């Protein structure tokens, strides 16, 4: 029996890291939003590493914040440690990483959802979509509740037909022994979606009281206050350390001797695992020349003794895991509280999506997060924000938003998924972004706040503060470009003390700052600014002036790309009618259905010759239309 349970603008299925961003984005845009999740106690749960950020991922969290999302604010309120990574390298690869108090993170995010005026959060299991004439009109739950809506966003994470594998044991389950979603997966196949089977895993958790920390190396957080969100003003100062130890020859021998009991090598695991987060057994086999591997001991929160053994992801049997742990310095007498496990789950082939994250097969249906073949909380949250934003905008009859590869790492992520697809759980890396000098941790607000405000996710008060900051940066750059520093004894002494060559003549302050040995603080000593400038402003001034040449080159590349992006491809184009296109190119173009020449050029199997033919065909079509007129 079914019953009418309510009508909404947007329904979000799932409340993991993608779901919470999707629900909050659509609700904050003014769309009446319903979020349905299997278990309300698992909202924004961290089944794997209790951390947020890191290389590329940390920049995504900043981008989410600059667009009006929640992840950055939530981790700023609930972290136990924060560190800036790659500080010795250039600004393009610097990234913030925070260790989370996983339980407080969940509770704070749930509280945020419950207090959002336009959002209704309920517990339930969605088993079916209401699809009429190729359009999604709502969902039906296990209990027969029928919820109608204008748009639906599916963010089911690793729950779709989930199976946990631990040694010889295999059973149907979502992460952390939660109820899996089986019927929805079968329903998506019935609707004609291509699904793939992926795998991910977690390490054991151990009791902190049973660790001998004297045999490990302390990894403290930064002394300098850090934050992901541009709105954070209160900083957590009582940080907890993490600890570093290593595997050794004894560990590796034990793993080698038990490979026959590993589900990865016995054939029990069929799904493809993440390349950049391999299990310990995979690391020992693939990198057998390495005498040791890093193991980080990371507290799971302030009010628990559970410690996450980062670097020891495994699905080996429980008894073997216990023995492995006790070969590691500091863990000789450790008590394992939870065994590591692998989880297999269904994901949809992401080339079945438009760049808005709406599915091509079913209108008004969006998907986001691990269901799209990604790994990581940050990748999920970035997609969730965009899918929720677009589902909300569409339900309100407003224009949807697509981020380009030069706008954000989120743009790189989504373009890679919908254009190239993925044959393994996808992880963002700085190397995936061709414009990474433009997509930095420090400038996410300058790149995206304007868009967040235009869409309606950035409040007026925050936007005004942003404009003040932007103006201050421009004014200080102009000031440094207008001042000539003369080669006085004071100037020469300062330059010499930094290992630079003396001035022969006067030089613009901005040009002196371009020297590698000089910093903004040095220039300030010579030509102080009036009043005190915010550190965020001075950081931007220094980076923009120092890297001006490189940034200019990147911007020229972006302009060339935009010309290609502006060459639109009609949605109803018949690729079979284009003479000269290679058969592989036709097949791939029909599958992806790119929206522009730029997107077409990024499809694997579409060559430059195919792009030239396509350009000629489109140009001829345009000429034909003009002649007909």
């Amino acid at each position: 029996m079914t019953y009418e349970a309510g009508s909404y603008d947007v329904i979000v299925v799932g409340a993991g890291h993608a779901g919470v961003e999707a629900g909050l984005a659509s609700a904050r845009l003014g769309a009446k939003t319903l979020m349905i999740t299997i278990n309300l106690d698992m909202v924004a749960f961290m089944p794997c590493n209790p951390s947020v950020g890191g290389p590329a991922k940390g920049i995504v969290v900043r981008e989410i914040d600059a667009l009006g999302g929640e992840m950055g604010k939530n981790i700023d309120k609930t972290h136990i440690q924060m560190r800036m990574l790659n500080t010795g390298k250039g600004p393009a690869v610097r990234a913030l990483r925070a260790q989370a108090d996983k339980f407080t993170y969940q509770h704070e995010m749930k509280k945020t959802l419950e207090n959002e005026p336009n959002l209704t959060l309920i517990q339930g299991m969605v088993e079916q979509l209401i699809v009429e004439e190729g359009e999604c009109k709502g969902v039906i739950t296990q209990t027969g509740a029928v919820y109608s809506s204008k748009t639906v966003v599916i963010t089911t994470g690793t729950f779709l037909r989930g199976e946990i594998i631990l040694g010889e044991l295999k059973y149907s389950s979502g992460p952390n022994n939660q109820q899996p979603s089986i019927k929805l997966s079968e329903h998506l196949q019935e609707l004609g979606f291509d699904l793939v089977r992926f795998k991910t895993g977690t390490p054991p958790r151990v009791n902190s009281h049973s660790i001998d920390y004297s045999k490990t190396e302390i990894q403290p957080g930064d002394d300098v206050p850090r934050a992901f969100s541009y709105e954070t003003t209160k900083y957590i100062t009582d940080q907890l350390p993490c600890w570093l130890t290593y595997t050794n020859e004894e560990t590796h021998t034990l793993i080698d001797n038990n490979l026959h009991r590993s589900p990865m090598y016995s054939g029990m695991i069929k799904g493809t695992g993440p390349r950049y987060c391999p299990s310990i057994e995979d690391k020992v086999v693939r990198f057998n020349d390495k005498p040791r591997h890093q193991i980080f001991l990371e507290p799971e929160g302030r009010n628990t003794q559970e410690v996450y053994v980062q670097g020891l992801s495994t699905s080996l049997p429980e008894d073997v895991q216990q023995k492995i742990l006790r070969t590691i310095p500091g863990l000789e007498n450790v008590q394992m509280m939870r065994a590591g496990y692998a989880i297999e789950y269904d994901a949809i082939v992401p080339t079945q999506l438009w760049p808005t994250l709406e599915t091509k097969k079913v209108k008004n249906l969006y998907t986001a997060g691990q269901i799209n073949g990604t790994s990581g909380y940050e990748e999920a949250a970035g997609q969730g924000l965009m899918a929720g934003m677009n589902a909300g905008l569409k339900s309100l009859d407003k224009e949807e938003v697509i981020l380009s590869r030069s706008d954000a790492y989120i743009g790189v992520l989504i373009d890679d998924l919908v254009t190239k697809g993925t044959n393994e759980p996808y992880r963002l890396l700085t190397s995936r972004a061709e414009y990474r000098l433009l997509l930095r941790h420090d400038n996410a607000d300058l790149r995206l706040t304007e868009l967040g405000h235009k869409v309606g996710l950035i409040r007026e008060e925050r936007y005004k503060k942003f404009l003040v900051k932007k103006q201050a940066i421009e004014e200080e750059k102009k000031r440094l470009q207008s001042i000539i520093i003369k080669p006085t004894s004071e100037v020469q002494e300062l330059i010499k003390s930094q290992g630079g060559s003396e001035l022969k003549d006067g030089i613009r302050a901005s040009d002196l700052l371009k020297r590698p040995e000089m910093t903004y603080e040095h220039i300030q000593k010579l030509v102080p600014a009036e009043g005190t400038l915010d550190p965020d402003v001075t950081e931007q001034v220094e980076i923009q002036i120092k890297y001006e040449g490189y940034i200019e080159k990147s911007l020229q590349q972006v302009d060339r790309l935009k010309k290609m992006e502006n060459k639109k491809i009609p949605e109803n184009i018949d690729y079979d009618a284009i003479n000269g296109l290679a058969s592989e190119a036709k097949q791939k173009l029909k599958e992806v259905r790119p929206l522009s020449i730029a997107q077409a050029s990024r499809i694997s199997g579409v060559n430059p010759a195919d792009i030239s033919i396509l350009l000629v065909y489109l140009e001829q079509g345009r000429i034909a239309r003009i002649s007909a007129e």
Side-chain angles (χ1 to χ4, degrees):
M1 283 286 291
T2 60
Y3 71 96
E4 294 295 326
S7 180
Y8 295 84
D9 294 320
V10 179
I11 293 173
V12 177
V13 180
H17 302 281
V20 295
E21 294 294 351
L24 288 169
S26 64
R28 287 167 177 173
L29 287 173
K32 187 184 173 190
T33 304
L34 172 69
M35 283 184 73
I36 310 176
T37 185
I38 292 173
N39 185 350
L40 283 176
D41 298 330
M42 296 288 284
V43 168
F45 183 66
M46 294 179 162
C48 202
N49 195 343
S51 72
V52 167
K57 293 164 173 277
I59 302 172
V60 168
V61 182
R62 292 279 274 186
E63 291 173 349
I64 290 166
D65 183 72
L67 286 165
E70 197 64 29
M71 182 176 254
K73 293 186 185 71
N74 206 58
I75 190 64
D76 285 352
K77 286 187 278 185
T78 60
H79 67 271
I80 57 177
Q81 186 195 101
M82 203 173 278
R83 295 175 74 185
M84 182 67 80
L85 307 181
N86 300 326
T87 49
K89 298 179 181 176
V93 291
R94 282 177 210 150
L96 203 52
R97 182 183 186 273
Q99 203 62 35
D101 185 319
K102 67 188 282 184
F103 307 105
T104 314
Y105 186 92
Q106 275 181 270
H107 297 148
E108 276 297 318
M109 192 64 91
K110 184 166 180 268
K111 188 161 64 169
T112 300
L113 294 173
E114 290 168 344
N115 291 330
E116 190 59 46
N118 259 344
L119 186 62
T120 303
L121 178 64
I122 64 165
Q123 185 166 292
M125 168 88 78
V126 171
E127 293 194 333
Q128 203 174 328
L129 302 172
I130 303 164
V131 179
E132 296 169 8
E133 297 176 353
E135 286 189 25
C136 192
K137 299 287 181 79
V139 303
I140 305 172
T141 70
Q142 190 180 43
T143 56
V146 176
Y147 295 97
S148 60
S149 65
K150 295 174 185 174
T151 57
V152 171
V153 186
I154 301 180
T155 68
T156 44
T158 60
F159 280 80
L160 280 188
R161 221 154 29 190
E163 288 183 307
I164 281 181
I165 302 143
L166 174 54
E168 293 89 7
L169 177 67
K170 184 175 188 176
Y171 57 95
S172 180
S173 175
N176 208 41
N177 288 329
Q178 291 297 304
Q179 197 178 350
S181 174
I182 294 167
K183 289 196 175 173
L184 182 58
S185 189
E186 292 167 354
H187 180 61
L188 289 170
Q189 280 185 305
E190 286 164 13
L191 289 171
F193 286 100
D194 292 330
L195 303 183
V196 287
R197 198 83 176 143
F198 280 166
K199 173 226 122 177
T200 188
T202 72
R205 271 69 155 185
V206 298
N207 192 318
S208 180
H209 289 318
S210 63
I211 298 170
D212 182 354
Y213 288 108
S214 69
K215 295 182 180 178
T216 66
E217 300 168 34
I218 192 167
Q219 304 284 300
D222 288 350
D223 294 332
V224 182
R226 305 276 190 198
F228 277 102
S229 175
Y230 289 93
E231 291 194 280
T232 295
T233 53
K234 290 180 183 173
Y235 298 92
I236 292 170
T237 52
D238 57 329
Q239 301 188 69
L240 301 185
C242 295
W243 307 83
L244 172 64
T245 183
Y246 296 88
T247 61
N248 50 51
E249 196 178 326
E250 188 187 351
T251 321
H252 300 182
T253 302
L254 184 57
I255 290 167
D256 281 331
N257 291 343
N258 283 279
L259 281 177
H260 63 286
R261 298 184 67 194
S262 165
M264 274 191 65
Y265 292 94
S266 68
M268 188 185 279
I269 289 177
K270 304 280 190 246
T272 309
R275 178 189 304 256
Y276 299 102
C277 188
S279 65
I280 188 63
E281 49 267 45
D282 202 18
K283 280 193 270 194
V284 167
V285 170
R286 279 166 53 193
F287 309 110
N288 59 12
D289 56 321
K290 288 203 169 10
R292 64 181 194 170
H293 295 286
Q294 287 184 325
I295 301 292
F296 289 95
L297 305 174
E298 302 174 337
E300 294 225 314
R302 294 181 189 276
N303 299 309
T304 176
Q305 292 305 314
E306 278 192 79
V307 173
Y308 182 92
V309 187
Q310 164 79 316
L312 209 73
S313 178
T314 183
S315 56
L316 281 161
E318 197 172 291
D319 61 307
V320 179
Q321 291 189 35
Q322 185 75 64
K323 288 173 188 167
I324 288 169
L325 285 166
R326 291 188 169 176
T327 64
I328 296 168
L331 306 183
E332 293 87 350
N333 299 302
V334 83
Q335 179 207 338
M336 184 168 75
M337 296 177 74
R338 302 183 202 226
Y341 61 85
I343 184 166
E344 283 191 335
Y345 56 95
D346 286 346
I348 75 162
V349 175
T351 50
Q352 298 170 104
L353 306 172
W354 296 113
T356 57
L357 296 178
E358 183 181 18
T359 69
K360 293 171 185 173
K361 286 187 189 299
V362 178
K363 281 185 179 175
N364 303 331
L365 175 65
Y366 298 74
T367 58
Q370 280 184 276
I371 188 176
N372 289 347
T374 57
S375 70
Y377 311 140
E378 304 84 356
E379 288 91 337
Q383 291 172 71
L385 177 71
M386 297 311 297
M389 186 191 296
N390 284 328
L393 289 168
K394 191 167 193 188
S395 76
L396 299 169
D397 295 320
K398 293 180 179 177
E399 191 181 345
E400 293 175 80
V401 172
I402 296 172
L403 293 176
S404 78
R405 297 181 72 88
S406 57
D407 289 331
Y409 269 98
I410 299 171
V412 173
L413 161 68
I414 293 172
D415 182 66
D416 277 353
L417 289 173
V418 304
T419 305
K420 300 171 186 173
T422 183
N423 53 13
E424 62 189 34
Y426 176 103
R427 178 179 179 169
L428 258 179
L429 307 164
T430 50
S431 58
R432 295 195 195 271
E434 58 272 55
Y435 306 113
R436 57 186 168 276
L437 186 58
L438 301 177
L439 309 181
R440 304 185 309 273
H441 164 91
D442 61 82
N443 71 350
D445 60 337
L446 295 173
R447 290 185 277 121
L448 297 168
T449 304
E450 198 81 49
L451 174 61
H453 178 254
K454 183 183 168 189
V455 167
L457 290 178
I458 294 291
R459 297 188 316 274
E460 203 60 41
E461 184 190 349
R462 177 172 172 180
Y463 184 60
K464 282 175 182 167
K465 283 182 185 170
F466 162 73
L467 291 178
V468 168
K469 174 184 170 180
K470 200 173 167 186
Q471 186 180 350
I473 293 165
E474 290 310 311
E475 284 176 358
E476 181 61 358
K477 277 167 63 183
K478 277 181 192 163
R479 184 182 81 87
L480 296 183
Q481 283 156 359
S482 67
I483 292 175
I484 302 292
I485 292 177
K486 292 176 181 170
T488 63
S489 56
E490 181 199 356
V491 169
Q492 304 290 38
E493 193 55 46
L494 177 61
I495 293 170
K496 265 167 60 182
S497 71
Q498 297 307 310
S501 54
E502 292 187 354
L503 297 181
K504 292 188 173 62
D505 208 342
I507 186 173
R508 286 182 196 276
S510 55
D511 288 338
L512 185 58
L513 181 53
K514 285 179 184 175
R515 289 191 174 193
E517 73 274 9
M518 301 302 283
T519 66
Y520 179 82
E521 282 70 29
H522 294 137
I523 305 298
Q524 267 289 82
K525 283 179 186 172
L526 301 173
V527 284
E530 283 182 31
T532 308
L533 288 174
D534 191 284
D536 281 353
V537 170
T538 59
E539 180 187 39
Q540 277 308 306
V541 169
E542 181 163 349
I543 289 171
Q544 289 183 27
I545 288 176
K546 256 193 195 307
Y547 296 91
E548 185 183 19
Y550 298 105
I551 291 169
E552 192 54 46
K553 276 185 185 173
S554 292
L555 290 170
Q556 285 167 9
Q557 287 178 314
V558 170
D559 284 341
R560 285 197 291 274
L561 174 75
K562 279 187 176 157
K563 283 174 188 166
M564 298 270 277
E565 294 285 6
N566 290 335
K567 291 186 194 301
K568 301 296 181 192
I569 299 174
E571 202 180 305
N572 60 352
I573 191 169
D574 181 3
Y575 290 106
D576 289 322
I578 305 175
N579 294 326
L581 274 184
S583 54
E584 185 188 1
K586 284 182 183 178
Q587 180 198 331
K588 293 287 178 72
L589 288 163
K590 283 192 282 186
E591 181 190 323
V592 175
R593 286 153 72 193
L595 300 177
S596 68
I597 286 293
Q599 191 187 355
S601 69
R602 294 190 291 269
I603 299 171
S604 172
V606 176
N607 297 316
D610 300 311
I611 294 298
S612 299
I613 290 163
L614 191 53
L615 276 167
V616 169
Y617 179 82
L618 291 172
E619 190 62 25
Q620 283 174 340
R622 192 177 70 81
I623 292 163
R625 282 197 301 277
I626 291 166
S627 330
E629 286 164 10

